[in-house]
Every structure is written in structure tokens, then in C-alpha cells.
Amino acid sequence: MEEIEVKILEIDKKAMVRKLLKMGAKKTFEGTIVSDSYDYPDGRIGKADSLVRLRKQGARTYLTFKRKIINPKAKVRDEQEVEVEDFDTMKNILSGIGLVRKNGITKTRESYLLGDVKYEIDEIKGIPVFMEVEAPTFKKLEGAVHKLGFEMDRTSSMGTGELLAKYKKTHV
């Protein structure tokens, strides 16, 4: 599945939630996310512009593989994701096949859905609140950003690592 998203940095969370609810978006998640990235010791997955991520979102756990697709307008990834039963067991499996935890982050997230567009408001300690907007096409993404009152040139395609570097934070 192709993931097409942008971030809107330094938002006013309360105002954005009000706007989303007024637009008719439904809250689908609120809670803590623990997200760890894995690679081989030689970094070959990252060098291939790919990512293996193990994420605990509330009571659910997901294993994801992402491969970067070059696009100057948005962050675009080919994403394959499965739900797995247990975070700690999956960590042991990843370790057993030679992968090592490269970095991780804990954040608080509120997720909203309006049609097939996802809006996720993230809070990471020491970083201003930001929102990810994800849509199935670039046209829908652009429309969703405009409905929030933003222009595309106000968005960013930075990944979490780049965002942490921008605000001079290190991975947990």
C-alpha cells in the first residue's frame, strides 16, 4: 500500500481538534505510541531508504516495512504492515534474525479519520505539537491540507528522525 503524507509543524492542538470535529472527522485513537526502528548492524535497510518498525499503539502492536518512493511534494512510502500479537515477542524475533534496535520514540497521538484521510496529532516531549495528514492520493492530500486552512508550502515531508534533528532531540 502506498502511504502519502505531510506534516504540519507547530500547530495549535486545541484549535486543530475543533476544526477536525467541525469538519466531521471521527476520533479513532488517543494514547501512547512506542515505536522502535530496526536494521542489520551494517545498516543495509536504512541505506536502501527502507525501514523496519515495531510499534505498540495502545494495546495493539504492528510490524511495518516501508520503502521510500521519491516525491518532492510529499513523503511517499510503499508500506507493508501486519498486526502482531506481542511487542516483546516480536522484539525477540527481530533480534533472532539479526536485526538490532537502531532508535525509538515514545509519543502521544490523537488520530482522526474523515473519509479516507487520516489526521494524526503527535506530541513528543521537547518538540512543538505537529500533525500528519495522510491520504490515498496527492490530490486528496492537498485538498485535506487546504480544508485545514494551510497551503502545501507550509507542510513538511520530514521523517521523525529529521524532525527530531530539527529540534535537536535524540531518539529515546
Side-chain angles (χ1 to χ4, degrees), residues 7 14 17-18 32 48 53 87 96 110 115 123 125 130 136 148 153 155 158 163 169:
K7 287 180 175 59
K14 288 181 182 179
V17 168
R18 280 193 303 273
T32 300
R53 178 186 67 205
F87 186 83
E110 282 187 34
E123 295 180 72
K125 187 176 180 179
F130 63 95
L148 293 171
D153 64 1
T155 67
M158 284 190 285
L163 183 62
K169 297 292 171 190

Side-chain angles (χ1 to χ4, degrees), residues 3-171:
E3 172 188 68
I4 304 169
E5 71 178 32
V6 293
K7 287 180 175 59
I8 302 172
L9 306 179
E10 302 180 21
I11 66 165
D12 177 334
K13 179 180 175 180
K14 288 181 182 179
M16 200 56 59
V17 168
R18 280 193 303 273
K19 190 173 282 193
L20 287 169
L21 294 174
K22 187 175 182 183
M23 289 168 36
K26 303 294 182 207
K27 185 186 280 189
T28 58
F29 176 78
E30 181 175 6
T32 300
I33 293 179
V34 176
S35 184
D36 292 340
S37 296
Y38 288 82
D39 202 338
Y40 290 102
D42 65 4
R44 73 182 95 152
I45 295 172
K47 289 174 188 170
D49 281 332
S50 297
L51 169 79
V52 172
R53 178 186 67 205
L54 182 61
R55 173 184 279 177
K56 185 172 181 135
Q57 182 170 328
R60 301 178 89 166
T61 298
Y62 301 92
L63 180 65
T64 307
F65 176 76
K66 293 185 181 193
R67 178 176 291 126
K68 184 176 185 179
I69 298 172
I70 304 298
N71 186 316
K73 297 179 182 181
K75 179 179 166 188
V76 181
R77 302 282 186 265
D78 174 37
E79 179 180 297
Q80 305 299 318
E81 183 171 76
V82 295
E83 187 168 359
V84 296
E85 191 170 315
D86 183 84
F87 186 83
D88 292 325
T89 300
M90 195 67 230
K91 282 184 358 182
N92 291 336
I93 291 170
L94 294 172
S95 175
I97 61 172
L99 295 174
V100 294
R101 181 182 177 272
K102 289 294 187 174
N103 55 56
I105 192 78
T106 299
K107 60 186 167 185
T108 303
R109 170 173 281 179
E110 282 187 34
S111 299
Y112 295 84
L113 186 63
L114 181 59
D116 54 1
V117 178
K118 295 179 187 175
Y119 301 89
E120 297 178 319
I121 300 171
D122 287 344
E123 295 180 72
I124 300 171
K125 187 176 180 179
I127 294 178
V129 178
F130 63 95
M131 173 187 282
E132 292 181 353
V133 182
E134 181 182 334
T137 67
F138 183 76
K139 185 175 181 176
K140 282 191 174 189
L141 178 70
E142 192 172 35
V145 168
H146 288 148
K147 282 181 186 176
L148 293 171
F150 295 98
E151 296 299 321
M152 287 301 289
D153 64 1
R154 167 74 164 75
T155 67
S156 172
S157 61
M158 284 190 285
T160 302
E162 295 166 302
L163 183 62
L164 291 165
K166 173 181 173 67
Y167 293 101
K168 310 257 188 292
K169 297 292 171 190
T170 58
H171 291 76

